[in-house]
Each structure stands twice: as C-alpha cells, then as structure tokens.
Amino acid sequence: MLSRTADQLYWMARYVERAENIARILEVSYRMSLMPEETREGLSIWGSAVQIGGNWDEFDAAYGTVNRQNVIRHLALDSNNTSSIYSCIQVARENARALRGSITTEMFESLNATWIELSGIDEPRLAAQGYQNFFDWVKERSHLFRGVIDSTLLRDESHHFIDLGDAIERADNTARLLDGKYHILLPSVEDVGGVLDYYQWGAVLRAVSAFRSYHRIYRNVITPERVAQLLILRADMPRSLHASFNRITDTLDLLCGTRIYECRRQAGEIHARLHFGRMSDIFKSGLHEFLTDFLKSQGSFAVQMQRDFLMIA
Amino acid sequence: MRIVVRHRTVYNYDHAIRYSTQYLRLTPRNNPSQRVIRWNVEGQGRLSPWTDGFGNLCHTLVCDEIVNQISVSANGIVETTELNGVLPDDGILPIKVFLRPTQLTQIDSEIRDFVVPYVETARSNPLDAAHELSQALTERIVYTEGSSHVHSTASDALKNGRGVCQDMAHVFIACARELGMPARYVSGYLYTGDEATPQVASHAWAAVWIEGLGWVSFDLANKTCGTERHIGLAVGLDYASSAPLRGVREGGSESERMDVQVMVTQA
Amino acid sequence: MQRRLFDEMTSPDGSARPAYRHISDWLKWSTLDRLRQRSTEAEVLFRRLGITFIVYGDDGGTERLIPFDVIPRVFSADEWKRLSDGSIQRVRALNMFLHDLYHDRNVMRAGIIPEDVILANAQYQPQMQGFTVPGGIYTHIAGIDIVRVSENEFYVLEDNLRSPSGVAYMLENRQVMMRLFPELFSEMRIAPVDHYPDVLLRTLRGVAPGGAQDPTVVLLTPGAYNSAYYEHAFLADEMGIELVEGADLFVADNAVFMRTTEGPRRVDVIYRRIDDDFIDPLAFRHDSSLGVPGLLSVYRSGRVTIANAMGTGVADDKSIYPYVPALVRFYLGEEPLLANVPTYLLREKDDLAYTLEHLDELVVKEVHGSGGYGMLVGPASTAAQIEIFRHKILANPSNYIAQPTLALSTCPTLVEQGIAPRHVDLRPYVLSGEETVVMPGGLTRVALVEGSLVVNSSQGGGTKDTWILEE
C-alpha cells in the first residue's frame, strides 16, 4: 500500500477520534461548570479545557478572556483552530475524499454527511440546540463512523492503519484529560471522597463513558485514585490507556508480520508498563509525572511508527 | 597553466532534514582550452553520475539520513591553455537553441532599448557588437556582492545597475540574444592570483556564438574575455540549467545557511 | 461558404446512410419521452459514478458533469479503417520525428521544417537531446482530433501528444449505453472498447527500461484538484496500478522508488499526467511541488520510462502542425491517409494579409492555446469582436494561425426541441509501444448549441458514444 494512503487512513481515523474527544472534554467542563462552585472554579474549569484540547497561546491571542462562550467557540466551531471539532471533521473528510478508492462508499457517505451538517452549525444554532445535545451528536456521529468501518471495511492493511490512528489518538486524549483534570482538581483533594469529588470526578467518568462501569467495578465512592486506575490500568475499560495499547500492539503484530520494527519494540515497552504496572507505584512517583512520561513515550512511538510504515517524519 | 581547485559547500539547518536531492554540475569537461588531470566530487549521501542534455557531467546526490548539515566538495587539477576565450562548439545541441529566452533572461522593454545602439554592428560585425555590448554593460552594472539572489533576472540587474557575476552574465546573454546572437551561460572557476584568500562563490560568465570563430567568452565581472585562468564547469541557457548545485530538501526550517569556500591556486 | 452540411445519419436524398440504418429505424420507433427518460437515467448513472470535471474561470473551480447525448455516433468498418490507419500512420511519423529531432535532426538538414520553428519553440526540450527512449517511442498515448466535412473528406484538426485526456469518457459512455440500450448491442455488431485499460497497461509494460522483469507501472497525477483527476483515478483503478502523487515517489541510487508501507518499491514506468514543466523541480520549474526531484537524472540514465516522454509538446504545437503531412512523407515514404486542414501561418506576410482580409470567414487560433480558448470563429463573431481580435493579431502575428471555417459534419442529437443535427468531432486514441494500435472508437464531442462549432467541454460541448460496426 502507498505510504500516503496509509497516512491518510491513519489521520482520518485520528481526526474523527479527536473530534469525539474534544466533544468529551467540552462536555466534562460543561458539566463541572454547572456545579455550584462555578464562581470559584469556573475559570480554571474552562481554562483547563483549552489546556487539554487546544493550544493555549492560540486561544489567548484570539480571545483573551476565558469563559464558557469563548472556549466552546474555540474548541467546537473555530475554523482557525486546527484542533477544533470543525477542523477535525473537515480534515478527516478531506482525507476520506482523497481515499475514495480505498475506503467503502458507506464510510465516505457517513463522514460526508457529518461534515455537511456540521458546516451548517453556527454559534446561535449551537446555543439554541443545547450544548449537551451538540456534544452527544458529535459522539454519535463518531460512533456511527466506527460502526460503519466495522461492518463494511475489509480487514486488511487499511483497517489496521485506521485502528492505529483511532487507538493512538484515544490513548493520547485519555491521558491528557486525566492529567489536565487531576491538576485542576488538586486543590480540593484534601476533601477526598467528599461531595465535590463525586461531582467533579463523576463528570470526568461520564466524559469517558465510564460512570456506570466505575460503579459496576468498584461499588464504592468515587476517588481520584480509583478513577486513575480505571482509566490507566484496566484493560477491560475501552478508553483506558491499557486497552488502547492492547489494540495498538495487536494491530502492529498484524502489520509487522515477520518483519522487525523499532516502533513495535517501543509499543511493547509502553504496553508492559501498563500491563504490569501497579497503581501504588504510579502514585508514589507521581501521577502527573507518570502521565507526562506516558505522553512523551507515546509521542515518540507515534513518530517512529510513521517512520517505519509511512516513510515520513 | 596548471590550476588546483578546492571547492567546498556546506549547508547548515536549524532543524534536521530527512531527505534531500541535489543536482551537482561540478565536474569540468575536457575541451581545447582545458584538460582535467585529476578530479573528484564527494558529497554526504549517495552520488550517481549522469550527463544532462547540454552534455554537462552531473551527479545526483541523495541524502536520506536525518542530518543537520550537508556538505559537498569538488577537488582537482586542470591544465588550461590560453585560447583567448574562444572555443569550438561541441555539437551536442543546435546552436540556435541558445537564442531562446528563459525566465531568468526574459527580454523586456528596458533590455530592448538598451541594445538599440548595437543592432547595426550586430548585423555587420557580431564580434565587435559583443565587445561593445560587454563594455557598455560593465559601465552600466556595478559589481556588488549580495545585491541579488539566485532567482534575480537579467532585467532586475539592468534596472538596479548592480549585480554579481551571475547577473552580469544574464544581462549580457539577454542582450546578445535580443541582437540575434546565440549566447550561453558558463559556470566555473577563476584563478585570481590571490592564493591566500578563499573565494566565497564559484564563478560564472557568458559566451556568444560568432559564426566562423566559435563560442567567445565574456567575463563581465572581471572586464575580460576568457583566459587560461578560467575553468569551465557547465554550460546552459542560464543559471537555472547550469548551476553547480541545485537541490531540494524535506524537513528543516525555512532558514538554510550556506557556506562556500573556493580555493583556486596554481600547481 | 454556401455548402451543404454533411449529416452523419441522413443522405441528401433523405435516406439513412448505411452505417446508420439501424439507428435511424430505432429513432423512428423510440418516442422522445423514452429517449429523454433514458437520458435522465444516464445522468443519474454519471453522477453516481462521480464522473465530473472541474471548470476553471468563474471563481475557483466548480465540479460539473459533461452533458452526454444518448444517440451514438456510428462508423462503418470501411470508414473506420481509413481513420484508424490514418491515425496510426500519423502517430508513427510523429514518433519518428521526435526521435530525429532529439538526435540527428535529419528533418532540418533536409529542409523539411525550418530550424527556427522548432528551436524557438518553448516545447522543444534541450534535456531530451541525445538520449534514446525505450523502443524509440515518445508519445505512447496520443489523441488525434479529426473532423469530417463530407462523405470522403476527413481532416485532422490537431494532434494531442502530451497527455491527452477524455479516454475515461469513451469507456464510461460505453458502459452507460450498454446499460441503457442492451437491445441495440445485441442487434448490431459493435466493436468493444472496454479492454482499453488492458491494452494501455500492456503498452506501458512493454516500454519498461531494459532488464525490468516484472515492471512496476504507476500513474502520476497532480492530485485531487486537477480537472482530470477522476480519469486518473479511474484508469489507475482499471489497470490495477498505484495512483501516485509526486511526494509518493523519490529518487535514490539512480532509480525511482515509491513510498509504501512495506518500504521503498522500485518504479519502472511512470504514466504521468503532469506537464513537463512540473515534473522535476531540480530541472524545470523550481517551485513545482507536483514532481519528483531528481527524476530527469534517472530518466536520462535510462532507468525509468516516462510516458509520454518529456518534450513531446514540440510535435503537437500548432506551429508544427502544418508540416505533419510532409513528415509522414519524409519518415514513412507514404502519402498521408488523413489530410490537414489548410492552415495560414500569420508569421508569413502573405498569409497574414489574406487572413486580415477574411477574418469573418476564418477561424484564428493562438499557436500555443488549447481548450478552445483564445480563438476567433469568424462567421460566428460580431464585427466588434472581429475588430478586437484584429488588434490582438497585429500586436503579435506569429502567435496565430488561421484556418477556413470547416463545415463540420452533424449528427442527430437529443436537444430541448427534439432530435436535431449538431456538429461533432472525433478523438481516437492511439497507443504506441511494442506495436501501434488504435482503439475501435474514441471520444465524439458534440457542440450542443445550435450552429456552434466549439465542441470543448469547457465551452458547452457534450459527448457521445462512438460505435464502430464490425463487418
């Protein structure tokens, strides 16, 4: 397969997943902002959304003031922000258009329909429709797209590169979300297991569709430690780092065949940390440090993967 | 005269580059005025020799490692003979091809006006016309380092009244062609006699075709015709088709720092 | 100019010409409604296939569907033999001309073409000098534009030797016709064209550099924004070869490689659909991002084949066109089977004078123009338009040629008013490799506006399927 084709498949998947994750990040901020503490925490809540999902300097230059309206505009609809939902879907759809020979018609049609609808949404419409409804719609379209891939696309190399893009982007976002929220919630952690924790960490869990899973697994109050464990180490939690790296290593094995690639080694190394790691050790050396280190190794793994398969970077 | 050339070019990049390709026209050909005794081209990466449509001896240099620096060098010894800057044609391309304007030697109204006084002479005695033209242009254009760049055109140089050897050659070529005289661009080296100070660039001049005589070289930057101190490297319609080095790269930032050192000494 | 228009279907006595007998009957019992319904179906099919082209000019580029006419253009086997033999003859001579031009230039020494006409031509490519392409083939894919003015008079309007487009329409038109009118295909013996991609691939593989065992062929496109991108994707798909862009290819160790997920893969033949100027930024336009840096060096070393070769444009230029019949005689020692349209070269004083006096009768074209732009169709222009053009000519006469307005043949066409005659031309495709062949058919273009002679799709032209009857 042409490296460019693989690259376009990979980025198409990454951008759709990123759009979904931006919606999730906005959703968690939105929910938190509805808490009574909004006056005290409001700014940092919306500020952290920018920190996690976008580019702080770009936001600052374009808007200056952190508030709900500006942050949602920046992350959802701003065509100048390359990682807004709008831009992500646009780029994903551009890639899909160029890939029309390599993907199924249903895939293109699904993404194209999302793009057409999204490009008709402006701020007043978004507000009128309700923010929560918009976030749900973005997630729904992303789920639909994944479902279309699952039920129409041949399980060959094309599928593998889509899987890689999807899993790499997801791991990246979960780590950033966790790190960003953990940071912002630190001041209130003295009140472990308190009401505030319940709502704020609850919002994080809801944002990664893990609220119910949390209770099914732990049957206990929400604590940051358990949330971290769920999103980092639990292999059965679909958006966790461990689950993502299970997918990444499995997919790489299919792509590598008998050949030996450096990126496979790096993925294995990261996977081992998630597979054999212990939460107590992670907390001992610092969650923030662990996540920073994870994002760094995953970043260099992604670059190596592109070098190995896509002949770029 | 035996001339020793040591020509080294180093490109530096702030950000690493991952792939680069270059065409090197860094190998002199044998002709009645020069004989290559020894010559060697080296570069960082892999070199493949080939010959272009003008008969120039070229190399393609490909570097596909991640690097911050690329260096290219050409070293050798050439034995030259004083032929007063006159060379026979090598018979590779029809001479009239050298009447064709190129992007860098585009004719505009200024050039057209400038050549008016030489139209008559060009018809009756082209060699005289070429000398007069060369004389007039050396008075009109002042050699000024750093006054132009690789994409500067003949018309730019004539307008600004400033330029380096490349620009002077381009203006001369454009004018000569406008007068109906085939003209070509020659890149090469010049032995200046100063063996202590390295030159910061290779050299270039122009040659016009005079029926019954041959290609006559005019080195406007040095106000002279070709001499035994000149070594020709490559010929073409203009700088773009005969540049000693021309390359593209992937990666790296906008900025590229190029250091050139040319040592031309007598053996 | 008071000449009867030749109609492809109907003889002057009102009877159907032999090749059209079946079509004529069919049209008689087909109701207009039924034809219109089929026509709508065809449009739906084309839209679904995504067969669009991009028109530049308005603002940016807009995607449009080329109008398709459901009434086919038909040739008898005899008529076709003449056209195909003539096209092959012409392309063989042009290939020999290109080889000669870039080697010994015997044609100039013999005084057949003045040196200046060639050497001053910007399409003459010095970088092609003195190197031999595989099989001596320069134009592997050629499109010869032919018009008809009477039963026995055919003229070549133009040779397209760079990268002629439109062949996808020939193939898709046939697919659509077979779906819409299967009964016609079972009743008439129509030569198939569907194997074109196969023949093209065989042609391209046949000109691979010596030593390539199982040559890898790719199609090099400028990308999704090119007006003919659909055709590039279609042909690559049909041939089962990679559709690549410049950035997918790179040069190393004196060979061309494509970047694949399994590492570099050597490329032997590049069917390129980008212009010479853009093909190698190290040799030509330095600002081109469409090409492959270093490609010229590999090409000149004979380690990759480029189809069509670089520098073929010099042979299809309007300034060379008038000499093509002489080239056929010079290289093949044969009389041309297809005639040229008489052409006035406005750089010649007498021709210029004649043209200026007869602007209202002539077609004047820019020497380097294409696509029907920058031309004057005298009989269809107002006095004011003619005057404006007169000034343009006088400013730079050598930039123009003039030809008599030909009474192009007409073919019945479904238009708003019903079935009416409309002017048509024909572009057969000639493939040159180990052998030279022409596809039985081609692209018939039709000027949909009543009386119009401009068939270009960018200016309101449509297409028809072209049928060659087997004996």
Side-chain angles (χ1 to χ4, degrees):
Chain A
M1 177 191 282
L2 271 186
S3 297
R4 175 171 47 90
T5 308
D7 187 57
Q8 284 166 336
L9 287 162
Y10 170 76
W11 284 107
M12 176 188 70
R14 273 198 83 152
Y15 275 109
V16 171
E17 176 67 22
R18 188 172 295 178
E20 179 186 335
N21 281 296
I22 299 287
R24 289 176 178 281
I25 288 162
L26 283 173
E27 184 181 13
V28 69
S29 299
Y30 182 67
R31 279 173 176 274
M32 283 185 175
S33 75
L34 298 180
M35 300 294 120
E37 278 70 22
E38 169 157 27
T39 44
R40 184 161 64 84
E41 303 285 348
L43 292 186
S44 53
I45 284 168
W46 288 108
S48 80
V50 175
Q51 202 96 48
I52 299 165
N55 182 316
W56 188 245
D57 294 335
E58 268 176 34
F59 176 83
D60 206 37
Y63 300 93
T65 325
V66 176
N67 58 36
R68 180 169 81 187
Q69 197 192 7
N70 283 348
V71 171
I72 292 183
R73 187 196 296 167
H74 177 67
L75 288 178
L77 297 179
D78 192 343
S79 59
N80 294 320
N81 173 10
T82 51
S83 49
S84 69
I85 293 173
Y86 181 94
S87 302
C88 287
I89 296 296
Q90 184 181 34
V91 176
R93 186 257 180 193
E94 276 297 300
N95 276 316
R97 201 172 78 97
L99 283 166
R100 277 175 82 169
S102 321
I103 61 176
T104 61
T105 317
E106 289 89 341
M107 283 170 67
F108 177 74
E109 280 170 0
S110 154
L111 202 45
N112 197 36
T114 306
W115 166 242
I116 289 169
E117 191 168 347
L118 179 61
S119 52
I121 296 177
D122 55 9
E123 245 186 297
R125 252 196 78 186
L126 183 66
Q129 171 184 356
Y131 293 118
Q132 188 60 53
N133 287 338
F134 175 73
F135 304 143
D136 287 344
W137 175 78
V138 174
K139 286 192 291 179
E140 229 175 81
R141 296 304 301 184
S142 168
H143 295 159
L144 177 67
F145 186 60
R146 207 167 289 114
V148 167
I149 293 171
D150 188 59
S151 55
T152 64
L153 187 66
L154 192 69
R155 297 292 187 278
D156 66 356
E157 249 189 317
S158 311
H159 206 286
H160 302 334
F161 282 103
I162 288 177
D163 271 342
L164 277 183
D166 197 58
I168 289 174
E169 183 67 26
R170 184 177 292 182
D172 189 73
N173 277 282
T174 298
R176 284 162 65 125
L177 179 73
L178 197 55
D179 192 33
K181 289 299 169 193
Y182 187 80
H183 234 48
I184 221 67
L185 293 174
L186 268 183
S188 55
V189 168
E190 69 260 13
D191 179 27
V192 173
V195 175
L196 191 62
D197 250 17
Y198 176 83
Y199 284 111
Q200 295 193 318
W201 282 105
V204 172
L205 287 172
R206 277 183 216 279
V208 293
S209 309
F211 191 78
R212 272 165 177 266
S213 310
Y214 183 96
H215 288 99
R216 287 252 310 258
I217 293 168
Y218 299 106
R219 302 185 184 286
N220 206 330
V221 292
I222 297 175
T223 64
E225 287 83 357
R226 292 201 196 100
V227 173
Q229 184 184 42
L230 182 68
L231 298 186
I232 295 172
L233 296 184
R234 292 288 300 210
D236 49 359
M237 168 62 210
R239 307 194 75 82
S240 77
L241 305 188
H242 190 176
S244 298
F245 266 82
N246 274 347
R247 268 177 80 198
I248 290 169
T249 48
D250 287 353
T251 308
L252 283 175
D253 286 341
L254 292 171
L255 277 173
C256 294
T258 54
R259 285 162 299 172
I260 292 163
Y261 288 112
E262 166 63 13
C263 70
R264 177 64 185 87
R265 190 195 64 76
Q266 290 189 14
E269 207 175 304
I270 301 170
H271 182 247
R273 265 185 272 162
L274 299 166
H275 191 73
F276 299 110
R278 275 194 306 219
M279 211 57 222
S280 52
D281 293 340
I282 292 174
F283 270 104
K284 217 176 285 164
S285 52
L287 179 62
H288 174 63
E289 285 70 20
F290 175 84
L291 290 169
T292 311
D293 185 53
F294 169 82
L295 284 168
K296 210 175 119 204
S297 356
Q298 140 136 330
S300 80
F301 152 71
V303 168
Q304 187 61 42
M305 194 280 294
Q306 288 181 291
R307 217 171 267 166
D308 288 345
F309 290 106
L310 311 180
M311 300 191 67
I312 37 182
Chain B
M1 188 175 189
R2 268 195 184 210
I3 301 175
V4 181
V5 176
R6 285 191 296 266
H7 178 187
R8 188 175 152 81
T9 306
V10 181
Y11 299 95
N12 286 292
Y13 305 98
D14 305 345
H15 296 277
I17 61 164
R18 52 181 184 256
Y19 177 82
S20 78
T21 320
Q22 299 191 63
Y23 282 170
L24 311 179
R25 290 180 175 85
L26 284 173
T27 311
R29 271 185 280 174
N30 285 333
N31 65 37
S33 81
Q34 66 187 39
R35 196 165 55 87
V36 179
I37 308 289
R38 199 167 64 227
W39 198 267
N40 184 29
V41 175
E42 277 170 41
Q44 207 170 324
R46 304 199 296 278
L47 279 171
S48 317
W50 61 289
T51 306
D52 72 11
F54 294 91
N56 298 313
L57 305 176
C58 312
H59 288 90
T60 299
L61 175 66
V62 172
C63 178
D64 55 7
E65 284 160 47
I66 295 177
V67 291
N68 281 80
Q69 193 187 65
I70 292 215
S71 64
V72 178
S73 64
N75 300 301
I77 304 172
V78 177
E79 172 98 47
T80 62
T81 309
E82 180 62 64
L83 289 178
N84 301 313
V86 180
L87 278 176
D89 187 54
D90 44 28
I92 292 174
L93 278 167
I95 285 160
K96 283 188 173 171
V97 165
F98 294 96
L99 280 171
R100 180 193 295 187
T102 63
Q103 202 146 43
L104 295 176
T105 58
Q106 207 62 254
I107 314 284
D108 63 1
S109 58
E110 219 149 326
I111 291 175
R112 226 169 268 135
D113 292 346
F114 188 81
V115 303
V116 168
Y118 315 101
V119 171
E120 278 304 309
T121 330
R123 253 182 237 135
S124 53
N125 188 337
L127 186 58
D128 284 357
H131 278 289
E132 285 171 23
L133 182 64
S134 156
Q135 175 71 29
L137 282 173
T138 51
E139 282 163 18
R140 169 76 177 257
I141 299 172
V142 184
Y143 185 95
T144 318
E145 251 165 52
S147 60
S148 63
H149 50 84
V150 291
H151 303 307
S152 295
T153 65
S155 138
D156 292 341
L158 191 64
K159 251 175 235 137
N160 300 337
R162 292 182 307 158
V164 295
C165 55
Q166 172 187 328
D167 306 297
M168 298 172 103
H170 278 154
V171 184
F172 182 78
I173 289 168
C175 292
R177 288 180 188 157
E178 176 62 15
L179 288 168
M181 300 189 283
R184 68 186 190 182
Y185 187 96
V186 189
S187 67
Y189 302 109
L190 175 67
Y191 173 66
T192 58
D194 177 358
E195 303 208 344
T197 332
Q199 300 164 29
V200 293
S202 56
H203 193 43
W205 56 93
V208 288
W209 176 255
I210 306 293
E211 205 56 54
L213 191 58
W215 288 105
V216 184
S217 304
F218 288 88
D219 179 354
L220 273 66
N222 293 292
K223 302 186 170 65
T224 170
C225 275
T227 66
E228 64 172 342
R229 291 176 293 117
H230 286 82
I231 298 174
L233 267 181
V235 299
L237 290 172
D238 58 11
Y239 170 78
S241 54
S242 51
L245 296 99
R246 192 171 158 181
V248 293
R249 60 177 199 273
E250 285 171 28
S253 58
E254 283 294 301
S255 72
E256 166 186 272
R257 212 176 62 249
M258 184 176 83
D259 294 314
V260 184
Q261 222 184 56
V262 186
M263 292 290 290
V264 185
T265 53
Q266 210 175 334
Chain C
M1 290 314 296
Q2 211 32 20
R3 252 172 93 184
R4 244 198 100 81
L5 291 178
F6 177 81
D7 190 77
E8 301 273 342
M9 184 167 86
T10 316
S11 303
D13 66 6
S15 67
R17 294 181 54 253
Y20 276 87
R21 254 170 224 152
H22 202 101
I23 293 296
S24 169
D25 288 346
W26 168 70
L27 285 177
K28 268 176 213 149
W29 55 252
S30 300
T31 61
L32 261 187
D33 280 350
R34 183 163 178 275
L35 285 177
R36 285 199 206 291
Q37 187 200 332
R38 288 283 185 266
S39 183
T40 312
E41 281 171 39
E43 200 182 315
V44 171
L45 285 172
F46 280 117
R47 268 203 201 287
R48 193 179 303 157
L49 290 165
I51 308 179
T52 54
F53 72 106
I54 299 168
V55 185
Y56 293 96
D58 319 354
D59 54 309
T62 46
E63 277 184 40
R64 267 195 235 158
L65 208 59
I66 294 189
F68 172 70
D69 184 65
V70 295
I71 304 173
R73 166 95 176 273
V74 189
F75 287 104
S76 70
D78 282 347
E79 285 171 327
W80 179 248
K81 179 155 177 31
R82 182 168 161 209
L83 294 181
S84 70
D85 288 354
S87 303
I88 289 174
Q89 180 191 50
R90 214 169 154 100
V91 171
R92 280 177 55 219
L94 287 167
N95 268 316
M96 291 170 80
F97 167 61
L98 282 161
H99 178 85
D100 184 26
L101 190 55
Y102 291 122
H103 290 83
D104 301 332
R105 299 184 290 279
N106 293 321
V107 68
M108 293 190 257
R109 288 181 223 283
I112 308 290
I113 294 194
E115 236 187 356
D116 297 9
V117 171
I118 292 169
L119 302 179
N121 193 311
Q123 297 295 327
Y124 171 82
Q125 181 47 266
Q127 290 297 357
M128 287 300 289
Q129 189 61 44
F131 116 85
T132 304
V133 297
I137 305 293
Y138 287 78
T139 179
H140 308 81
I141 300 105
I144 308 297
D145 291 349
I146 299 173
V147 296
R148 180 180 211 174
V149 299
S150 75
E151 182 71 45
N152 284 310
E153 268 179 285
F154 291 94
Y155 291 109
V156 173
L157 214 52
E158 192 172 48
D159 306 289
N160 297 278
L161 310 177
R162 302 172 210 194
S163 60
S165 60
V167 80
Y169 297 107
M170 171 183 90
L171 298 169
E172 296 287 14
N173 288 354
R174 179 61 54 87
Q175 287 303 316
V176 167
M177 286 300 277
M178 289 176 80
R179 255 178 100 152
L180 296 180
F181 307 108
E183 69 280 7
L184 288 175
F185 285 85
S186 60
E187 290 156 10
M188 299 168 74
R189 291 169 48 82
I190 300 155
V193 291
D194 324 16
H195 56 303
Y196 175 83
D198 211 54
V199 181
L200 177 58
L201 185 59
R202 202 168 348 123
T203 302
L204 294 169
R205 289 174 63 106
V207 291
Q213 284 302 317
D214 180 18
T216 299
V217 182
V218 298
L219 195 159
L220 176 61
T221 172
Y225 296 99
N226 184 267
S227 62
Y229 182 74
Y230 166 74
E231 177 162 302
H232 307 161
F234 174 84
L235 288 174
D237 207 35
E238 290 279 311
M239 288 190 278
I241 64 174
E242 293 292 353
L243 177 66
V244 302
E245 294 177 19
D248 297 327
L249 302 180
F250 69 98
V251 163
D253 299 324
N254 206 13
V256 178
F257 293 91
M258 95 180 127
R259 297 171 211 257
T260 81
T261 53
E262 284 162 30
R265 183 158 149 219
R266 174 91 186 262
V267 170
D268 303 293
V269 181
I270 301 175
Y271 173 28
R272 53 85 175 232
R273 297 292 298 260
I274 69 177
D275 295 342
D276 282 5
D277 273 357
F278 295 92
I279 209 161
D280 179 353
L282 291 184
F284 309 113
R285 279 182 63 154
H286 64 87
D287 54 350
S288 165
S289 55
L290 303 175
V292 186
L295 183 57
L296 177 69
S297 66
V298 183
Y299 187 42
R300 280 194 62 96
S301 307
R303 307 213 346 127
V304 69
T305 299
I306 298 176
N308 293 348
M310 297 186 201
T312 55
V314 67
D316 71 8
D317 196 84
K318 291 191 181 71
S319 63
I320 305 290
Y321 165 85
Y323 300 96
V324 177
L327 296 178
V328 171
R329 292 186 197 101
F330 181 73
Y331 291 108
L332 303 174
E334 298 168 5
E335 268 310 298
L337 299 170
L338 288 172
N340 259 18
V341 181
T343 303
Y344 304 99
L345 306 172
L346 303 201
R347 58 190 174 82
E348 311 276 346
K349 232 170 152 186
D350 294 349
D351 285 8
L352 176 64
Y354 177 87
T355 303
L356 291 175
E357 271 175 38
H358 298 86
L359 280 179
D360 56 340
E361 298 167 13
L362 299 170
V363 178
V364 187
K365 297 175 182 172
E366 275 182 30
V367 171
H368 305 294
S370 72
Y373 290 104
M375 65 189 268
L376 173 82
V377 181
S381 304
T382 64
Q385 285 169 329
I386 289 177
E387 279 321 296
I388 292 170
F389 217 86
R390 183 189 304 277
H391 289 291
K392 280 169 78 176
I393 295 171
L394 284 169
N396 187 9
S398 59
N399 194 32
Y400 295 93
I401 57 162
Q403 294 169 335
T405 319
L406 295 179
L408 303 196
S409 62
T410 55
C411 187
T413 302
L414 184 64
V415 292
E416 229 170 280
Q417 300 83 353
I419 295 172
R422 290 291 181 266
H423 295 290
V424 290
D425 80 347
L426 173 71
R427 175 181 290 183
Y429 293 90
V430 184
L431 297 178
S432 308
E434 283 161 338
E435 50 182 351
T436 305
V437 295
V438 58
M439 277 297 116
L443 182 66
T444 290
R445 296 185 296 178
V446 52
L448 295 169
V449 180
E450 187 173 3
S452 168
L453 295 168
V454 184
V455 294
N456 302 82
S457 53
S458 49
Q459 301 203 33
T463 69
K464 281 170 173 287
D465 194 9
T466 311
W467 292 1
I468 311 303
L469 299 184
E470 292 189 332
E471 280 174 36

